[in-house]
Amino acid sequence: MEIRVLRYFLTVVREESISAAADYLHITQPTLSRQIKELEDELGVKLLNRGKKNRKITLTDEGMLLRKRAEEIVTLADKTRAEFDAAEEIISGDIYIGGGETEAMRLIARAAKKLQDSYPHIKYHLFSGNADDVAERLDKGLLDFGVFIEPANMEKYDYLRLPVTDTWGLLMRKDSSLASLNNIEVKNLKEIPLIVSRQSMTSNEFSGWGRFDFNQLNIVATYNLVYNASLLVAEGLGYALCLDRLVDTTDSSELCFRPLKPHLEARLNLVWKKYQIFSKAGEKFLEKLQEEFHG
């Protein structure tokens, strides 16, 4: 499988047309069709469904899988080339950072801004997802750094503990009966419909906190990004168990946040793969973070 052909395939997917993709790539339509057919033969599967009327291209199940993998391969190839193309006398390049939704990302942003003042040619690319999503991309080399909210499996990573913690609590409508409380206790959670994070280890953390079986709660929905969960809360579907300071709960908002009792905090770590070989940009970024947080 050649990266060039994978780029051709992704262009066809984006344009939804062999002819339009050929025009974009500045090659003939027969040449592009032959390249895609050879790719299908090499993999032994059909990748594209070719419409008869409007000739619009759609993906088979195998095609959807290849699109995901091709995007990862092409991204990694571009990242590698950019690292080698960076001039020796100029620190430049791309830094890829993944993380969940947390106010701690503001610390990362501040460090990036300070580094930019000295090295303006460095660019930053952010990926949002939970610990499982970020770990997968770290392991594949698609991210340089990740921000993990504990608990998280740290066996494969080196890490830098961030000097902040996030507070767990309940996001709710201001007209909710629980909004009159200052804190949310275990007994309150057992009486309401809950919207919880899909992060694989969250249930273990809360079971330890409240000494109850997490599966006994009335979980009506799960979320990956808390902003989307806040929309469910606003519509009255339930209460979101989440971290503080991620959703607008000011006077103008219809939502409010109440911390848990006993208090439950989440520590945060900046992680990278063990034995990671960084680009010069990545090295400078890590040096800046170490200087900022543990200098």
Side-chain angles (χ1 to χ4, degrees):
M1 244 186 312
E2 296 183 31
I3 292 177
R4 172 179 56 82
V5 178
L6 292 180
R7 293 185 192 276
Y8 287 176
F9 170 73
L10 291 174
T11 303
V12 172
V13 173
R14 187 187 67 229
E15 299 294 330
E16 299 181 332
S17 164
I18 293 287
S19 59
D23 289 341
Y24 179 86
L25 294 167
H26 304 293
I27 60 177
T28 66
Q29 184 174 335
T31 297
L32 180 56
S33 295
R34 185 176 66 255
Q35 294 281 355
I36 298 300
K37 180 63 169 61
E38 290 175 356
L39 180 60
E40 290 179 320
D41 292 342
E42 180 181 356
L43 296 174
V45 296
K46 182 179 180 182
L47 299 171
L48 305 176
N49 292 314
R50 297 161 176 83
K52 294 182 179 180
K53 292 184 179 180
N54 57 10
R55 305 185 66 81
K56 181 178 179 180
I57 294 295
T58 58
L59 290 174
T60 64
D61 290 343
E62 294 79 7
M64 286 188 282
L65 174 60
L66 180 62
R67 178 180 63 180
K68 179 182 178 181
R69 297 299 180 224
E71 288 172 344
E72 293 174 350
I73 292 169
V74 169
T75 298
L76 186 57
D78 289 342
K79 181 173 178 288
T80 302
R81 178 177 291 276
E83 290 170 355
F84 279 97
D85 286 346
E88 288 293 327
E89 67 276 8
I90 298 176
I91 301 296
S92 64
D94 299 275
I95 298 174
Y96 294 80
I97 308 167
E101 293 172 297
T102 166
E103 182 69 11
M105 287 301 292
R106 188 179 297 276
L107 297 179
I108 306 298
R110 288 173 182 166
K113 177 59 177 68
K114 291 181 179 180
L115 190 64
Q116 186 186 54
D117 292 340
S118 301
Y119 303 103
H121 298 287
I122 295 177
K123 298 180 180 179
Y124 301 89
H125 307 275
L126 302 181
F127 169 80
S128 296
N130 63 27
D132 294 334
D133 301 327
V134 174
E136 179 182 3
R137 297 180 76 87
L138 274 171
D139 294 345
K140 291 178 178 178
L142 299 173
L143 294 175
D144 299 305
F145 301 96
V147 177
F148 281 3
I149 301 170
E150 293 186 0
N153 187 343
M154 306 287 285
E155 292 180 358
K156 297 182 291 185
Y157 309 104
D158 289 324
Y159 65 93
L160 182 66
R161 175 152 285 170
L162 300 180
V164 292
T165 57
D166 280 343
T167 300
W168 282 101
L170 206 60
L171 185 70
M172 65 190 76
R173 290 172 57 98
K174 286 180 178 175
D175 58 7
S176 162
S177 59
L178 296 184
S180 61
L181 302 177
N182 292 324
N183 300 280
I184 302 299
E185 300 182 28
V186 173
K187 63 181 180 181
N188 304 127
L189 296 182
K190 294 181 177 180
E191 300 169 352
I192 56 175
L194 282 171
I195 303 166
V196 302
S197 166
R198 287 198 298 271
Q199 185 166 327
S200 59
M201 299 181 71
T202 299
S203 60
N204 295 332
E205 180 181 23
F206 280 97
S207 295
W209 165 77
R211 298 181 181 178
F212 62 86
D213 184 353
F214 198 80
N215 294 319
Q216 292 178 352
L217 299 177
N218 179 21
I219 298 174
V220 298
T222 62
Y223 68 86
N224 187 33
L225 298 177
V226 73
Y227 173 76
N228 293 332
S230 73
L231 301 180
L232 300 181
V233 175
E235 292 301 319
L237 184 67
Y239 298 73
L241 204 54
C242 63
L243 298 173
D244 196 7
R245 299 179 296 175
L246 300 181
V247 175
D248 179 21
T249 55
T250 59
D251 293 340
S252 60
S253 171
E254 60 185 316
L255 303 178
C256 62
F257 179 90
R258 297 291 181 265
L260 298 179
K261 182 181 179 181
H263 195 66
L264 181 61
E265 290 185 338
R267 295 183 177 275
L268 300 114
N269 299 296
L270 181 83
V271 308
W272 57 94
K273 286 199 303 184
K274 287 185 176 179
Y275 315 112
Q276 170 88 348
I277 299 176
F278 288 111
S279 65
K280 291 185 178 180
E283 289 178 356
K284 290 295 182 183
F285 183 64
L286 182 56
E287 288 172 7
K288 174 56 69 174
L289 291 172
Q290 290 170 331
E291 173 188 321
E292 291 291 311
F293 303 149
H294 298 285

